[in-house]
Amino acid sequence: GQIVDDVAYEFEINDGIEGGWLVPVVQTSVHVEGLDYSSIRTTAGDLNGKDLAEVLEYEENLHGMTTPILDLCGDGRALIFTVTVAQAERMAEIINRHKPDSAEYVCGTTPKEYRRDLFKRYATGQFQYLVNVGVATEGFDEPGIRHVVMARPTKSRALYAQMLGRGTRPLPGIVDDVDTADARKALISLSDKTCLNVVDFVGNAGRHKLIHPADILGGRYNDE
């Protein structure tokens, strides 16, 4: 935006949904009392990672987020976004305590062979919750995802859209070779995956303007 004055072409999540290429999105907001971002600094345009870690790795907040995840996701496959490895590890541990062998976590230092096997087992439904730290943000395509869990706040609209978008793919074969948007949307509505549920956690944002699904799905508006 600081270099190029005009965008030649935009195709956002709303466009994909209207065109019948992506599934509709339903938002579930969960208020967690202990999530207080008001004193967190801003670094490079987003919430400071070290400050954020102190809030999100706090035991009470971990349980405050994990318990609703278990309640809201049922048996549907879920992709969980976290900020730190410690947060991801503890969330997977808490989930497995309540629902044994249902969660795994992946991060940048996860060995490639193990990561490849992990994604394969996730795609075939061998475990339900994939908790990740910056690994599945872009270039990760798993149509079987029914829930995207935002266990990390952000001020970046682009980052939030990337994370949300990971779960918007229809199931394989549903809209392939279908000519019209109405026909594609009708087929999605009759499929086993009619929508994506985004679980979003709300706390005290203080002076920060945090991104939520409405910022991505609210429609097109000019800057003013």
Side-chain angles (χ1 to χ4, degrees):
Q2 295 173 347
I3 299 169
V4 180
D5 293 328
D6 298 304
V7 177
Y9 182 74
E10 275 187 302
F11 190 87
E12 297 199 0
I13 291 174
N14 265 346
D15 300 312
I17 294 170
E18 285 302 311
W21 298 112
L22 302 176
V23 301
V25 177
V26 175
Q27 175 190 359
T28 303
S29 292
V30 179
H31 185 269
V32 179
E33 191 66 36
L35 291 180
D36 187 350
Y37 309 120
S38 59
S39 62
I40 292 179
R41 295 167 293 174
T42 297
T43 303
D46 208 348
L47 299 175
N48 179 273
K50 184 179 178 182
D51 294 350
L52 202 51
E54 291 181 9
V55 174
L56 295 175
E57 292 172 10
Y58 183 58
E59 188 75 10
E60 187 175 330
N61 291 338
L62 283 166
H63 284 277
M65 289 187 286
T66 305
T67 301
I69 290 171
L70 289 162
D71 293 338
L72 292 167
C73 293
D75 294 322
R77 210 173 310 165
L79 178 63
I80 302 174
F81 289 95
T82 61
V83 175
T84 69
V85 175
Q87 182 197 3
E89 188 175 11
R90 288 291 289 120
M91 289 194 83
E93 179 190 324
I94 295 168
I95 290 170
N96 284 328
R97 194 184 306 162
H98 292 277
K99 198 171 184 179
D101 303 320
S102 65
E104 298 249 14
Y105 79 92
V106 61
C107 62
T109 59
T110 303
K112 287 184 179 180
E113 285 300 320
Y114 185 80
R115 183 189 300 189
R116 192 175 294 116
D117 176 68
L118 191 74
F119 286 159
K120 188 181 297 182
R121 289 189 289 112
Y122 181 63
T124 54
Q126 294 180 49
F127 65 94
Q128 181 182 356
Y129 298 95
L130 179 60
V131 190
N132 87 101
V133 190
V135 171
T137 307
E138 56 186 29
F140 178 69
D141 181 14
E142 177 42 57
I145 295 169
R146 307 299 178 98
H147 308 272
V148 168
V149 180
M150 303 297 193
R152 60 146 306 154
T154 181
K155 298 170 74 170
S156 168
R157 187 183 183 279
L159 174 60
Y160 200 100
Q162 284 179 310
M163 294 189 292
L164 188 151
R166 295 310 97 204
T168 54
R169 305 288 196 276
L171 294 174
I174 298 297
V175 299
D176 298 353
D177 302 319
V178 180
D179 292 334
T180 69
D182 286 343
R184 288 190 292 269
K185 287 192 280 188
L187 289 169
I188 288 172
S189 71
L190 296 171
S191 73
D192 287 336
K193 180 182 175 181
T194 57
C195 65
L196 169 74
N197 180 35
V198 178
V199 180
D200 196 53
F201 293 99
V202 180
N204 177 17
R207 66 187 182 280
H208 300 295
K209 170 61 182 80
L210 301 180
I211 302 296
H212 297 289
D215 296 296
I216 310 299
L217 304 170
R220 292 181 180 276
Y221 301 96
N222 61 34
D223 289 343
E224 183 182 354

